[in-house]
Amino acid sequence: MADEIAIQITQVTKFYGSGTDSTRALHDISVAIRHNEFFTLLGPSGCGKTTLLRIIGGFEDFQNGEIILHGNSIKALPANKRPVNTVFQHYALFPHMSIRDNIGFGLKMLGKNAAEIRERTDEMLDLVKLTEYGHRRPAQLSGGQQQRVALARALAPAPRVVLLDEPLSALDLKLRQSMRHELRRIRESLGMTFIFVTHDQEEALTMSDRIAVMSEGELQQVGSPEDIYNNPANIFVADFIGQTNLIPGIVKATTADAAQCQLAGGQSIEVPLARQPTPNRGDTVKLSIRPEHMDICQPDSDSAQITGVLKEQVFLGTDMQFLIEIDDSILLMVRLQSTQDSLHRWNPGDQVGIRVNIGFVRLLTS
Amino acid sequence: MTGKSQDIRHYSGFLPISLICLVLLYGPLIIVMIYSFNDSPSITVWGGFSLRWYDEVFHGLEAPKFKKAAFNSFTIAIMAASTSTVIAVCTALAMLRCGNFRGKAVTFGLVSLPLMVPEIVTAVATLIFFSTIGFKAGYATILVAHIAFCIPFAYLPIAARLQGIESFYEEAAVDLYASRLQAFFQILMPLMLPGIISGFLLAFVISLDDFIITNFVKGAGVETLPTAIFGAVKQGIKPNIMAISTLLLMLSVIFVTLSYLAGKMGSRDKG
Ligand SMILES: Nc1ncnc2c1ncn2[C@@H]1O[C@H](COP(=O)(O)OP(=O)(O)O)[C@@H](O)[C@H]1O
Ligand SMILES: [Mg+2]
């Protein structure tokens, strides 16, 4: 039953406040989250991720829509009756309780007996590798350890769905990276549905089975990390996920499998349509070309599809980044691996050609 | 922090003004304390160290009167502080945890008004109220009046504490299947406890010390320590009054210190 739906969200709309000073936090959100999936809500700050998570958790009401958990509507269920647990952004560990009591709290509230609670707490402490810390208070643990306690506390009652609101954002970079692996490992070993919120696209890309990209309360695209990265549904997604060049252009002609596009500066490029919808002739579009999908060559070489002037090159460690101006109007960013060759081959002011891996170019209209 | 010129001690006149304030505030108290150990029956001439006035307080002629008054004071203070603390906790929860409701600002005004209204006005008003409804003056009227005017004193530290507790603790509890009641008793109340203790102790001291309102509503025959002391002083100040005052002062200092420490206690184990 790998494709069983854990949570079905249908046309959820949410306004904060009422009357004239109400803010629309969510608009017509519909998404199905599969059982056992690591599902990420990704979007810039203020786009409504926390609101959606709190609606699933039962902490916010909403004006319109429906939420089905494993076949049953949970719209009318209060938060303490939903088989859903949350890892809060600031952990919200109970400061007056030991780590063990924190982890066992959910089971205690569910009325489990002491032996069962003890056994499960041991199991959870082991899972998050904090066995020796059970008797400490939260304040006596480091940020990373508190984070793992918060996770263990949410997992202990074996909820059907775990909600995680930017759980890694308070950690420093090193810890954040190791916690990514930890989270994946733990989820895989337990087989639970995780709904994970982040504004960090790298976090989303590396951890998720599927990602929902949100902006201003609306769902922009839902798909696998590769899908979102390589086939962004619109300009917002292309721009938000990774880095890309968005070049204004006009569709001059289309055939069954390619579109002839004229760039703003006047040069033309042919874009294959195998993996994207066919635009109309005359459409104004943005061509999304990722910096790593281009290569620099001699301007008069046969493989040069566009030519321009090298403005600037920046050494980034493993990569070199080049800024190339086309027709005095468009700046293109190109990224190559730093080899001896790419380091010294061109100088600012040089006329250069650009070879585009056109299979990855996307024509976006909105 | 940013340099010596910011330090208040560098303003000219800081030292003399501070000294004057301290002497005016604490000088009389210290003199009372010192003279409570005076061996002489005079209240102005030092006659050597002695504990005779303390002995007099507990075993002298007036001892039964003071003991009765002390009993009244303590029982009233405990009941008034307990009741007003419970009311203050409920009020704080309503004010800070139940969103916006109509009359919230008015409620806050009503809760804190007794702190601003001259006590004599409250005293007269309370007296008129009791006589209007025909409530016979005595122990019960003192208790009711004390409960009422202790509420704002209990409320302030409790509300301050509750304000500092993020709502995500209760949300986490509810998320982990606690009912609202369980979330309150298992999570919120323990977190509020320093504020609750602090509020209780403050209310206790306020009740114990109160003179004006008590004097108005007490009726004949029922005395609390402050009214008993006042009654005794009217017949001339004897050193045993100083001894009682010193004992009362010590008690207040202890309770206020405990209240302060209770308030501090929480900020240590938070976060
Ligand atoms: N309690 C609230 N009252 C009013 N507006 C809110 C409240 N919480 C969030 N909002 C607004 O709703 C929008 C979405 O917020 P949020 O869900 O917290 O975004 P995110 O988690 O993606 O940063 C924002 O515009 C925010 O200002
Ligand atoms: Mg958020």
Side-chain angles (χ1 to χ4, degrees):
Chain A
M1 294 270 271
D3 279 350
E4 189 192 338
I5 301 298
I7 291 195
Q8 172 76 54
I9 296 166
T10 315
Q11 294 181 324
V12 165
T13 294
K14 162 81 183 171
F15 286 89
Y16 282 109
S18 58
T20 47
D21 56 12
S22 70
T23 6
R24 192 187 73 178
L26 294 175
H27 177 69
D28 199 19
I29 302 277
S30 294
V31 61
I33 296 158
R34 297 180 195 133
H35 186 49
N36 270 353
E37 183 169 46
F38 198 118
F39 190 87
T40 298
L41 298 172
L42 173 66
S45 181
C47 72
K49 308 179 295 288
T50 297
T51 303
L52 186 54
L53 211 63
R54 288 174 60 81
I55 284 178
I56 299 171
F59 298 110
E60 294 287 352
D61 53 3
F62 51 104
Q63 280 74 23
N64 205 355
E66 179 60 278
I67 298 187
I68 310 279
L69 177 74
H70 286 282
N72 303 308
S73 170
I74 54 170
K75 197 173 172 178
L77 274 189
N80 60 350
K81 298 265 162 51
R82 298 188 185 192
V84 169
N85 288 152
T86 308
V87 177
F88 290 85
Q89 188 164 9
H90 302 284
Y91 315 150
L93 298 178
F94 306 132
H96 59 295
M97 290 184 186
S98 70
I99 300 307
R100 291 195 72 91
D101 290 345
N102 264 281
I103 295 174
F105 187 82
L107 296 164
K108 191 170 142 201
M109 292 301 112
L110 286 173
K112 304 287 185 220
N113 67 45
E116 196 176 338
I117 295 176
R118 199 174 331 112
E119 191 181 330
R120 181 74 177 164
T121 305
D122 284 336
E123 208 177 298
M124 287 297 121
L125 281 170
D126 188 47
L127 183 73
V128 298
K129 301 178 180 152
L130 285 173
T131 307
E132 294 96 273
Y133 295 87
H135 296 286
R136 294 213 190 167
R137 292 285 172 95
Q140 295 168 308
L141 299 190
S142 71
Q145 290 168 330
Q146 290 183 22
Q147 159 67 63
R148 283 183 281 160
V149 175
L151 183 65
R153 186 178 68 174
L155 296 175
R160 311 212 64 166
V161 175
V162 183
L163 309 175
L164 305 100
D165 192 357
E166 312 220 10
L168 307 184
S169 64
L171 306 179
D172 60 48
L173 186 66
K174 268 261 155 54
L175 209 51
R176 201 152 67 221
Q177 285 169 343
S178 70
M179 272 309 291
R180 286 182 196 164
H181 296 287
E182 279 292 291
L183 269 180
R184 276 208 74 104
R185 172 185 71 80
I186 287 169
R187 196 202 62 82
E188 274 155 21
S189 73
L190 296 175
M192 280 183 197
T193 309
F194 272 32
I195 305 180
F196 181 88
V197 160
T198 182
H199 64 266
D200 181 334
Q201 41 116 353
E202 190 187 319
E203 214 164 84
L205 291 175
T206 53
M207 298 173 75
S208 320
D209 293 324
R210 283 194 309 151
I211 299 172
V213 183
M214 293 175 67
S215 164
E216 293 179 3
E218 295 187 36
L219 217 51
Q220 303 294 322
Q221 186 173 3
V222 180
S224 69
E226 298 81 6
D227 199 28
I228 298 245
Y229 189 81
N230 291 326
N231 298 307
N234 55 37
I235 294 169
F236 176 84
V237 176
D239 202 28
F240 189 72
I241 311 288
Q243 273 183 311
T244 194
N245 296 284
L246 290 168
I247 309 161
I250 295 174
V251 179
K252 282 291 176 191
T254 56
T255 63
D257 49 10
Q260 190 70 30
C261 298
Q262 186 177 46
L263 306 185
Q267 303 192 42
S268 281
I269 189 168
E270 198 173 82
V271 179
L273 297 173
R275 305 190 57 188
Q276 57 189 324
T278 307
N280 295 319
R281 213 158 65 94
D283 275 358
T284 49
V285 294
K286 294 260 168 117
L287 287 86
S288 167
I289 313 177
R290 301 229 179 247
E292 70 271 24
H293 292 151
M294 287 180 278
D295 195 1
I296 301 176
C297 58
Q298 295 300 334
D300 49 5
S301 119
D302 282 347
S303 53
Q305 284 138 312
I306 315 173
T307 56
V309 180
L310 180 62
K311 284 288 175 190
E312 200 183 302
Q313 52 183 357
V314 185
F315 178 66
L316 299 176
T318 54
D319 287 347
M320 282 291 289
Q321 181 175 296
F322 300 86
L323 277 182
I324 297 168
E325 191 177 57
I326 300 163
D327 300 330
D328 300 324
S329 56
I330 308 159
L331 268 184
L332 263 190
M333 188 198 288
V334 177
R335 203 156 48 223
L336 306 180
Q337 286 203 337
S338 330
T339 56
Q340 275 313 103
D341 197 37
S342 66
L343 275 177
H344 302 295
R345 193 145 154 216
W346 294 282
N347 296 307
D350 285 357
Q351 194 76 29
V352 293
I354 299 171
R355 192 163 50 219
V356 183
N357 194 346
I358 51 168
F360 287 99
V361 177
R362 294 289 171 266
L363 302 177
L364 303 172
T365 51
S366 59
Chain B
M1 210 154 76
T2 48
K4 286 213 159 165
S5 61
Q6 298 276 323
D7 195 326
I8 187 169
R9 280 170 291 190
H10 286 257
Y11 288 99
S12 55
F14 171 78
L15 190 67
I17 292 176
S18 313
L19 284 178
I20 291 171
C21 290
L22 285 175
V23 166
L24 282 177
L25 273 173
Y26 294 105
L29 291 179
I30 291 169
I31 289 172
V32 163
M33 283 167 69
I34 292 172
Y35 274 86
S36 71
F37 297 105
N38 190 358
D39 195 31
S40 142
S42 158
I43 57 165
T44 47
V45 184
W46 183 252
F49 179 85
S50 139
L51 289 175
R52 61 182 277 207
W53 300 115
Y54 287 89
D55 187 60
E56 166 110 11
V57 168
F58 290 101
H59 306 110
L61 265 181
E62 291 174 308
K65 193 177 93 186
F66 282 127
K67 273 184 188 157
K68 182 86 187 78
F71 175 81
N72 287 343
S73 266
F74 279 99
T75 51
I76 287 171
I78 287 170
M79 286 189 283
S82 312
T83 315
S84 60
T85 301
V86 171
I87 294 172
V89 168
C90 296
T91 313
L93 287 174
M95 293 294 288
L96 298 169
R97 282 300 196 269
C98 296
N100 277 315
F101 54 89
R102 271 177 61 183
K104 189 169 171 175
V106 177
T107 309
F108 180 73
L110 285 176
V111 169
S112 47
L113 201 60
L115 297 175
M116 265 97 65
V117 174
E119 199 180 340
I120 186 75
V121 175
T122 313
V124 172
T126 314
L127 176 64
I128 293 173
F129 170 72
F130 282 139
S131 51
T132 307
I133 63 169
F135 203 154
K136 195 174 158 312
Y139 188 91
T141 47
I142 302 177
L143 180 61
V144 171
H146 279 218
I147 290 172
F149 75 71
C150 280
I151 291 172
F153 294 95
Y155 176 79
L156 288 180
I158 291 171
R161 176 75 191 173
L162 182 57
Q163 199 142 40
I165 300 172
E166 302 274 4
S167 58
F168 53 56
Y169 293 116
E170 294 139 272
E171 284 187 354
V174 171
D175 186 64
L176 292 162
Y177 315 108
S179 66
R180 285 195 67 154
L181 220 55
Q182 284 170 319
F184 175 73
F185 282 109
Q186 308 241 355
I187 305 301
L188 195 54
M189 197 161 98
L191 294 179
M192 285 173 75
L193 200 60
I196 294 175
I197 294 172
S198 179
F200 173 86
L201 293 175
L202 204 58
F204 184 88
V205 173
I206 295 292
S207 163
L208 198 65
D209 282 356
D210 182 73
F211 172 73
I212 300 180
I213 293 175
T214 312
N215 201 38
F216 270 73
V217 301
K218 74 185 172 63
V222 186
E223 302 284 352
T224 64
L225 265 183
T227 63
I229 292 172
F230 183 71
V233 166
K234 275 199 293 195
Q235 290 143 30
I237 302 176
K238 284 203 310 171
N240 66 337
I241 296 301
M242 296 194 181
I244 293 186
S245 302
T246 304
L247 289 173
L248 212 51
L249 178 66
M250 287 300 113
L251 209 70
S252 295
V253 168
I254 290 169
F255 274 88
V256 172
T257 310
L258 286 178
S259 163
Y260 171 78
L261 290 179
K264 288 233 33 152
M265 188 171 86
S267 41
R268 187 172 43 86
D269 63 26
K270 252 193 355 184

